[in-house]
């Protein structure tokens, strides 16, 4: 089957299964093209909590599908490739967090959405890159434990008066951005603005013009008067930015910045998932209940 045939088959099966296809901004172009909804982690969680379909086909990584399963327990959540995990989410386990917390009694734990459900179950409140500062400011405590991204932790620290104590995790895609990438891009496109994701290292954030989640990049791309933008995040988002803003130019801060796990979701796997209704992502009820508390606190903000 060629790509076009596959797309038609997927759309037919989607109707039959009463399914909705949601995709993260980093997904492959052909996946974005068939998705009913594309977004960042916060937008995708909100979407999952209000869908009317029976089945959610989640085109993203495992923690995102788990979040959908937590928010929509009566739906079937399909992740077309169960090996599509987030290496940063794998940098902290629930037992490690339990041990770490013991060193800091009384400090609330804020967990980035890029964590497993079991880690969320150990946290007080969840956050995404879109709302991390608001979430931290919503807490009364003066010292906050933050897991797992040290770069997002240090970005939050710049904007709040509280003390952020971070776990030592990072996203390998964003952590690779360097001052060399900034200098090279500025030399190549002197009139361009540079946007970076808050998972980038502090020295890169210092030199960027704007620091934005992927969802905020999509919005800013529509509103900005700049015609040339250098994008410091996973390259998959550039497809969406160009498609929605054909009159503007978007360049990767570091060509080849790809999240290989995001790219594991292919049309073929989406088709097979809808056909077999596998693999499903499920969260055990005792973990779900606790993790839901942390996610709902975030959503209610
Ligand atoms: P957002 O899309 O929420 O900005 O997050 C980026 C990311 O790396 C998700 O894994
Ligand atoms: Fe995880 Fe980074 Fe990939 Fe996002 S881009 S899923 S944080 S490894």
């Amino acid at each position: 089957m060629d790509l076009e045939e596959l797309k038609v088959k997927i759309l037919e099966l989607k109707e039959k299964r009463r399914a909705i296809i949601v995709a993260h901004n980093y997904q492959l172009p052909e996946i974005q093209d068939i998705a009913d909804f594309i977004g960042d982690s916060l937008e995708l969680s909100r979407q999952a909590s209000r869908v009317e379909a029976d089945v959610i086909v989640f085109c993203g990584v495992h923690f995102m599908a788990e979040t959908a399963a937590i928010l929509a327990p009566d739906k079937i959540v399909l992740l077309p490739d169960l090996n599509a995990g987030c290496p940063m989410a794998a940098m902290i386990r629930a037992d490690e967090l339990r041990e770490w917390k013991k060193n800091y009694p009384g400090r609330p734990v804020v967990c980035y959405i890029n964590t497993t459900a079991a880690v969320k179950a150990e946290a007080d409140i969840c956050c995404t890159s879109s709302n991390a500062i608001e979430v931290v400011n919503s807490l009364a405590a003066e010292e906050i434990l933050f897991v797992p991204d040290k770069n997002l932790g240090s970005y939050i620290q710049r904007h709040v008066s509280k003390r952020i104590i971070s776990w030592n995790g990072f996203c390998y895609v964003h952590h690779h951005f360097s001052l060399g990438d900034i200098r090279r891009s500025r030399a190549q496109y002197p009139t361009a603005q540079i946007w970076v994701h808050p998972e980038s290292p502090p020295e890169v954030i210092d030199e960027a013009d704007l620091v934005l989640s992927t969802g905020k990049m999509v919005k800013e791309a529509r509103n900005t008067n700049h015609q040339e933008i250098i994008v410091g995040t996973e390259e998959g988002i550039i497809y969406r930015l160009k498609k929605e803003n054909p009159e503007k130019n978007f360049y990767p801060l570091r060509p080849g910045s790809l999240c290989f796990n995001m790219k594991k979701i292919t049309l073929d796997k989406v088709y097979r998932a809808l056909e077999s209704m596998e693999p499903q992502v499920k969260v055990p009820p005792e973990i779900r209940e606790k993790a839901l508390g942390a996610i709902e606190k975030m959503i209610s903000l």
Side-chain angles (χ1 to χ4, degrees):
M1 246 190 285
D2 68 19
L3 278 192
E4 288 314 308
E5 263 178 280
L6 206 46
K7 280 185 191 169
V8 173
K9 292 266 180 212
I10 289 172
L11 297 181
E12 279 170 13
L13 254 185
K14 197 183 76 160
E15 294 300 312
K16 190 170 148 200
R17 303 282 194 221
R18 285 190 29 86
I20 180 171
I21 300 178
V22 300
H24 187 265
N25 288 320
Y26 298 158
Q27 287 289 293
L28 290 169
E30 58 271 26
I31 298 285
Q32 296 193 26
D33 286 344
I34 54 149
D36 297 290
F37 184 82
I38 314 171
D40 70 4
S41 310
L42 181 61
E43 293 161 342
L44 293 176
S45 326
R46 288 215 179 103
Q47 190 65 18
S49 65
R50 53 168 103 104
V51 293
E52 278 176 16
D54 296 338
V55 178
I56 301 173
V57 183
F58 210 106
C59 300
V61 289
H62 192 271
F63 76 82
M64 297 180 174
E66 258 189 349
T67 307
I70 291 167
L71 286 165
D74 52 333
K75 317 276 182 221
I76 293 174
V77 177
L78 298 171
L79 178 63
D81 186 336
L82 273 190
N83 293 318
C86 166
M88 172 159 70
M91 287 177 184
I92 185 162
R93 294 190 314 267
D95 61 305
E96 290 173 318
L97 176 52
R98 269 195 298 275
E99 279 306 304
W100 193 53
K101 283 198 293 191
K102 285 183 191 159
N103 302 326
Y104 303 97
R107 273 66 150 203
V109 177
V110 176
C111 77
Y112 192 20
I113 196 155
N114 296 40
T115 44
T116 61
V119 165
K120 288 185 179 79
E122 294 293 328
D124 294 276
I125 186 165
C126 191
C127 77
T128 74
S129 55
S130 283
N131 61 17
I133 294 165
E134 291 93 306
V135 165
V136 165
N137 278 331
S138 75
L139 300 168
E142 281 308 313
E143 290 194 327
I144 311 280
L145 301 180
F146 183 74
V147 296
D149 186 7
K150 62 178 175 184
N151 289 325
L152 182 56
S154 98
Y155 173 69
I156 300 169
Q157 184 65 85
R158 290 161 184 249
H159 294 276
V160 300
S161 55
K162 300 164 194 290
R163 176 171 173 238
I164 306 294
I165 305 165
S166 264
W167 190 255
N168 199 23
F170 59 89
C171 160
Y172 73 97
V173 180
H174 296 90
H175 197 61
H176 273 153
F177 294 143
S178 67
L179 283 181
D181 295 324
I182 299 263
R183 287 193 198 109
R184 197 178 45 247
S185 312
R186 287 230 191 264
Q188 201 172 355
Y189 307 107
T191 59
Q193 264 210 326
I194 299 188
W195 301 352
V196 301
H197 194 275
E199 288 173 14
S200 308
E203 64 279 13
V204 168
I205 286 187
D206 280 340
E207 294 300 318
D209 296 307
L210 294 176
V211 183
L212 303 165
S213 67
T214 66
K216 287 184 181 171
M217 285 185 189
V218 168
K219 290 188 188 86
E220 185 63 21
R222 291 178 195 142
N223 298 333
T224 184
N225 291 325
H226 289 268
Q227 291 301 305
E228 302 217 297
I229 295 120
I230 294 155
V231 182
T233 191
E234 209 268 358
E235 257 179 64
I237 194 173
I238 291 184
Y239 174 73
R240 180 172 183 192
L241 296 176
K242 281 187 175 161
K243 190 172 168 184
E244 293 183 3
N245 308 277
E247 73 295 355
K248 294 176 186 162
N249 293 315
F250 301 90
Y251 312 104
L253 174 62
R254 182 189 180 100
S257 297
L258 296 172
C259 173
F260 295 108
N261 284 3
M262 283 279 178
K263 278 21 184 196
K264 284 182 179 161
I265 309 298
T266 59
L267 277 188
D268 192 46
K269 288 178 192 168
V270 170
Y271 176 70
R272 278 187 272 144
L274 273 168
E275 199 181 38
S276 62
M277 295 297 276
E278 293 287 344
Q280 296 186 13
V281 172
K282 292 185 176 158
V283 179
E286 61 288 0
I287 291 184
R288 180 190 166 260
E289 207 173 302
K290 289 193 203 156
L292 180 64
I295 298 169
E296 277 184 335
K297 264 189 226 152
M298 167 185 84
I299 291 182
S300 72
L301 291 178

